[in-house]
């Protein structure tokens, strides 16, 4: 079996045979479609062709031997997991997992006077994708927010593949947005091979203006990004409190002074009235 694989792989490198590599993406646990990209311009009967798929240099994935499926040489992990659409020259890899990532080679031989001859080869590089959960912001402290204190937050996302590039914090004040790139902690599950990521943010509590804080998970150029639900914070700072004190302080003092003056006037008036009544009584 090993001799057969080595022989076929060597044929790919023969001069005059073009080999093209095609990027293929498939979601985790879905069917991956790997095409031979064989035009079959000569309309050759499949009974005169041998279609052979292999992964790397030592795993037989699928084989169609002159029109008949052949299972003798297949790697055990691909048995009952592959189908070949001979109309489209496409291999279907069922329930694709992360371990299935890698380079696959399609080799097509034509029976020429009894001796097989390689007439076409192509390569597919399979990438597996698993969706990350939407990034979620979490408070790392439960104390009451106060001006000049520190705000401690964490953003996390889980269950994704491949490993993301970066996690960025977005801090927006009005029309202005700052981007902060902090260290991203990455862990990979030993069984599922899926990644969990998180990042922490420690900044001074914003004051006197509505601030929206989000985190952005960069998955790659072709996979895009995921963003969290924004966290809105608005805290009145010491300056605003001082303004309130400076404004209401004098006003309250004036009110108290007026009240005291009125009280004094009323008291004096009452005393004068009492003195007048007493004088009238003595005269009588």
């Amino acid at each position: 079996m090993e001799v057969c694989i080595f022989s076929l792989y060597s044929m790919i490198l023969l001069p005059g045979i073009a080999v093209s590599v095609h990027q293929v993406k498939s979601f985790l646990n879905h069917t991956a479609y790997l095409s031979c990209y064989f035009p079959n311009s000569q309309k050759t009967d499949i009974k005169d062709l041998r279609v052979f798929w292999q992964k790397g240099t030592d795993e037989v994935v699928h084989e169609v031997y002159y029109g008949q499926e052949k299972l003798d040489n297949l790697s055990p992990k691909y048995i009952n997991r592959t189908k070949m659409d001979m109309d489209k020259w496409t291999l279907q890899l069922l329930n694709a997992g992360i371990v299935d990532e890698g380079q696959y080679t399609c080799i097509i031989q034509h029976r020429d006077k009894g001796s097989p001859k390689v007439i076409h080869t192509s390569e597919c590089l399979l990438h597996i994708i698993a969706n990350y959960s939407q990034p979620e912001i979490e408070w790392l402290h439960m104390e009451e927010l106060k001006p000049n204190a520190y705000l401690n937050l964490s953003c996390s996302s889980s269950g994704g593949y491949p490993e993301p590039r970066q996690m960025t914090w977005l801090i927006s004040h009005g029309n202005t947005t700052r981007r902060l790139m902090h260290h991203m902690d990455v862990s990979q599950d030993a069984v599922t091979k899926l990644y969990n990521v998180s990042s922490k943010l420690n900044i001074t509590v914003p004051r006197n203006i509505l601030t929206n804080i989000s985190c952005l998970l960069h998955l790659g150029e072709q996979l895009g990004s995921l963003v969290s639900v924004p966290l809105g914070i608005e805290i009145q700072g010491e300056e605003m409190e001082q303004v309130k004190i400076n404004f209401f302080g004098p006003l309250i003092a004036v009110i108290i002074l007026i009240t005291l003056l009125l009280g004094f006037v009323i008291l004096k008036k009452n005393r004068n009235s009492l003195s007048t009544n007493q004088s009238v009584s003595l005269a009588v």
Side-chain angles (χ1 to χ4, degrees):
M1 177 177 173
E2 294 181 356
V3 175
C4 177
I5 297 174
F6 178 79
S7 175
L8 286 172
Y9 192 79
S10 299
M11 292 179 186
I12 302 176
L13 305 178
L14 289 175
I17 300 177
V19 179
S20 56
V21 180
H22 303 272
Q23 305 294 323
V24 178
K25 293 181 175 63
S26 177
F27 283 102
L28 180 67
N29 298 327
H30 285 62
T31 299
Y33 296 88
L34 309 175
S35 178
C36 283
Y37 296 95
F38 180 51
N40 195 18
S41 56
Q42 302 298 323
K43 305 298 181 182
T44 306
D45 194 320
I46 60 172
K47 294 181 179 180
D48 293 326
L49 298 176
R50 182 189 181 195
V51 183
F52 181 89
W53 279 94
Q54 65 184 48
K55 182 184 179 185
T57 61
D58 58 357
E59 289 186 297
V60 181
V61 178
H62 195 88
E63 183 178 4
V64 179
Y65 190 81
Y66 302 120
Q68 299 294 324
E69 301 281 342
K70 188 175 181 180
L71 306 177
D72 298 349
N73 298 323
L74 297 191
S75 175
K77 68 180 182 181
Y78 293 109
I79 294 177
N80 297 325
R81 290 188 56 216
T82 58
K83 295 180 180 179
M84 187 70 187
D85 185 340
M86 298 303 295
D87 293 327
K88 299 180 179 179
W89 303 96
T90 298
L91 177 71
Q92 300 177 28
L93 177 58
L94 309 179
N95 195 32
I98 294 175
V99 295
D100 293 318
E101 273 196 325
Q103 187 160 304
Y104 292 78
T105 304
C106 173
I107 306 165
I108 299 180
Q109 296 177 322
H110 179 249
R111 183 160 41 191
D112 185 17
K113 298 180 180 179
S115 299
K117 177 183 178 182
V118 176
I119 60 173
H120 178 81
T121 61
S122 65
E123 296 180 356
C124 292
L125 189 58
L126 177 61
H127 305 274
I128 299 299
I129 301 170
N131 288 326
Y132 281 86
S133 62
Q134 182 180 14
E136 184 175 353
I137 296 178
E138 178 184 3
W139 295 87
L140 296 181
H141 61 97
M142 299 302 294
E143 294 84 0
E144 181 182 357
L145 291 180
K146 297 180 180 180
N148 295 324
Y150 280 97
L151 180 64
N152 298 308
L153 301 174
S154 173
C155 183
S156 59
S157 179
S158 61
Y161 191 90
E163 181 178 349
R165 292 190 172 185
Q166 185 63 51
M167 184 174 279
T168 303
W169 288 91
L170 306 177
I171 304 176
S172 301
H173 309 279
N175 296 325
T176 303
T177 300
R178 287 191 298 151
R179 291 176 174 263
L180 301 178
M181 300 183 69
H182 288 244
H183 174 71
M184 181 177 65
D185 294 316
V186 181
S187 63
Q188 187 177 27
D189 188 279
V191 178
T192 65
K193 304 302 180 182
L194 299 177
Y195 288 99
N196 301 319
V197 296
S198 64
S199 178
K200 294 180 181 179
L201 177 68
N202 186 294
I203 60 172
T204 304
V205 174
R207 298 176 297 175
N208 309 331
I209 188 172
L210 175 61
T211 300
N212 288 315
I213 301 176
S214 306
C215 64
L216 187 67
L217 182 63
H218 303 273
L219 302 177
E221 294 181 0
Q222 298 181 357
L223 298 178
S225 303
L226 293 175
V227 66
S228 69
V229 174
L231 174 67
I233 299 175
E234 186 173 16
I235 301 295
Q236 297 298 325
E238 293 177 346
E239 292 82 354
M240 292 296 292
E241 294 176 357
Q242 187 64 39
V243 168
K244 293 178 181 179
I245 292 173
N246 292 340
F247 178 77
F248 289 107
L251 180 60
I252 293 173
V254 171
I255 292 174
I256 293 174
L257 180 60
I258 292 174
T259 302
L260 291 175
L261 289 174
L262 288 174
F264 178 76
V265 170
I266 293 172
L267 179 61
K268 186 175 181 180
K269 184 177 180 180
N270 289 337
R271 285 181 177 179
N272 292 336
S273 177
L274 180 61
S275 297
T276 302
N277 291 335
Q278 288 177 351
S279 298
V280 171
S281 299
L282 292 174
V284 172

